[in-house]
Amino acid sequence: MDKGLHFAICVVTTVLLLRESSQAGEENDPEVLAAPKCGGAAEGLPTLTVTTILEDPYVMVRGAELEGYCMDLLGALAGMLRFQYRVKVVGDGQYGAVAAGGNWTGMIGEILRREADIAVAPLTVTSAREEVVSFTTPFLQTGIGILLRKDTASQDMSFFHFLSPFSKETWTALLFAYLLTCFCLFLVARLSPSEWSEPKNEENHFTFLNSLWFGAGALALQGATPRPQALSVRVIAVVWWLFTLALLAAYIANFTALLSSGSEQLPIQTFEDLVKQRNLEFGTLEGSSTFYFFKNSKNPIHQMIYEYMEKRREHVLVKTYQEAVQRVMDSNYAFIGESISQDLAAARHCNLIRAPEVIGARGFGIATTQASPWTKPLSIAVLKLREAGDLDYLRNKWWESSCLRQSQDRWGPLEPPALGGLFLTLGIGLTLGILAALAELSSSSRRVAAHAKKSCCSVFTEEICTRLRIKAPARQSQETSGKANA
């Protein structure tokens, strides 16, 4: 009995080792990548054959496995509805369109020929496809956009592009701040005794023109004469230097970002712009729903796009999405396709950008046979995944950008509120400078009044009038002349 049990254990162990060795050999065999893949391990569950198409990030090959957004979605659906699945990549590499003989190609054709039970892929729900197969509730919403390369899409910069880092309001505020600061320099230099001790006999170096020159020198980070002597003038000069230093740093940073971005410089904003230009060829995937959208559209612009692609179909229509992206990067070519896929391309390739306009709102759904009992359960499961936030999680997971792009929306012209603290600091500095100048003049006036035995207020007023070249009040002049006659 013990020998029989020992023999049975040895046989089972040998079979398991041989099975694991066989499976390991299959995983290392590259031909298995195109073969169906099993999912689920529970016995007695129904097994569905799933057709899909290789497209980043929906379905991708990683070693001996398939992964991507659709694979994660399929796994979640299988867990909710309790089924096993076998994944196969579509044989002809097509999504599904009517061929010349009236037969359907791609994943739609495989479902109609019962070669697959469902299609889980970025398959657009269209009326033509809905007539021959059934679709679940869309698991992704998308539209039709234009994918461009930045250097081919950018137009020449305007002659005054150097003004772009700041808005018009900001430039106006900066001009006002400059003139106000220069006027305060001129005023404080005239009021301060330390800068101008003998106004009747000396010449003040801080004339208004010299004050303008001093302020402009600070804007260029250059020293300019005259050099301030009084504390009040130095306070204003230091605050103005700090203001210009922060201002130039903001200008340089924003100007650099504008030069490296340029979405505002796109001359191709809409499909009408694409038709009018002559520098770029444009096309879409051959046999895709996008191609038939333009074919069936009654919009004149869309008809012009379809006629262009039909006449040059050998040159402008591409076979795969990867070929389209590569062609956009390598040549003067604009790709018309699903906007959600173009967003991914723009996130992965920093030199690509999607034009703002998106047309033909549509969705990606799971295709089944028309009489399939799985259509409604799959639709309900998709809705549950959406309500639970799982679809948003998958969207963020597989569309994560690996390119840190600085877009025009993020680096737009700086508005005055963005520099509000800087202007406030400048205003406080100007106020302190004026108050310091008045304090210096008041202290000097008290000494003069004590020495001449005059009223401090009269001396202070006389000093201000003399320094500002203002005619002294008549009463004060009479008092002065009366004292002189006495």
Side-chain angles (χ1 to χ4, degrees), residues 28-46:
N28 294 327
D29 188 355
E31 295 181 357
V32 178
L33 295 177
K37 175 189 173 183
C38 295
E43 296 294 338
L45 297 180

Side-chain angles (χ1 to χ4, degrees), residues 8-20:
I9 293 175
C10 291
V11 171
V12 171
T13 303
T14 304
V15 171
L16 290 176
L17 290 175
L18 291 175
R19 184 179 179 182
E20 291 178 359

Side-chain angles (χ1 to χ4, degrees), residues 146-329:
I146 308 171
L147 185 65
L148 307 160
R149 197 172 77 246
K150 287 183 179 180
D151 56 352
T152 59
S154 299
Q155 63 184 5
D156 295 335
M157 294 182 180
S158 63
F159 189 71
F160 295 99
H161 188 68
F162 68 93
L163 299 176
S164 300
F166 295 152
S167 64
K168 295 179 181 179
E169 294 79 6
T170 303
W171 283 117
T172 303
L174 292 178
L175 178 61
F176 177 77
Y178 167 69
L179 294 176
L180 178 62
T181 302
C182 293
F183 176 76
C184 288
L185 279 172
F186 165 73
L187 178 64
V188 169
R190 282 186 169 273
L191 292 178
S192 175
S194 300
E195 197 69 46
W196 197 23
S197 58
E198 295 291 339
K200 293 182 179 180
N201 303 324
E202 295 180 3
E203 180 181 356
N204 190 286
H205 298 290
F206 267 97
T207 63
F208 188 67
L209 290 179
N210 286 344
S211 299
L212 291 175
W213 177 248
F214 183 87
L219 281 173
L221 299 181
Q222 300 294 322
T225 55
R227 300 187 182 279
Q229 303 294 328
L231 174 63
S232 55
V233 182
R234 289 179 177 179
V235 168
I236 294 180
V238 168
V239 172
W240 178 245
W241 290 339
L242 293 176
F243 177 85
T244 55
L245 185 63
L247 179 70
L248 289 175
Y251 177 87
I252 294 172
N254 213 43
F255 189 58
T256 304
L258 288 175
L259 291 178
S260 63
S261 177
S263 62
E264 193 177 78
Q265 303 299 322
L266 282 179
I268 301 177
Q269 301 279 342
T270 64
F271 285 87
E272 184 176 359
D273 297 333
L274 183 64
V275 172
K276 290 180 179 179
Q277 58 83 36
R278 293 293 180 268
N279 297 326
L280 299 177
E281 292 183 321
F282 54 88
T284 186
L285 290 174
E286 184 177 2
S288 64
S289 60
T290 302
F291 179 81
Y292 288 99
F293 170 85
F294 288 100
K295 180 180 180 180
N296 300 325
S297 176
K298 303 301 180 182
N299 188 304
I301 300 298
H302 300 170
Q303 281 295 308
M304 294 174 64
I305 293 176
Y306 167 72
E307 292 173 1
Y308 174 89
M309 293 190 298
E310 181 64 27
K311 290 179 181 178
R312 301 168 176 81
R313 61 181 307 133
E314 297 297 330
H315 301 285
V316 299
L317 297 184
V318 293
K319 302 294 183 181
T320 64
Y321 175 77
Q322 291 77 11
E323 178 187 350
V325 173
Q326 192 63 41
R327 185 168 177 181
V328 172
M329 292 192 295

Side-chain angles (χ1 to χ4, degrees), residues 6 31 34 77 173 220 260 290 298 301 369 382 403 441 463:
H6 179 71
E31 295 181 357
L77 294 174
S260 63
T290 302
K298 303 301 180 182
I301 300 298
T369 57
V382 169
C403 175
L441 184 59
E463 286 289 335

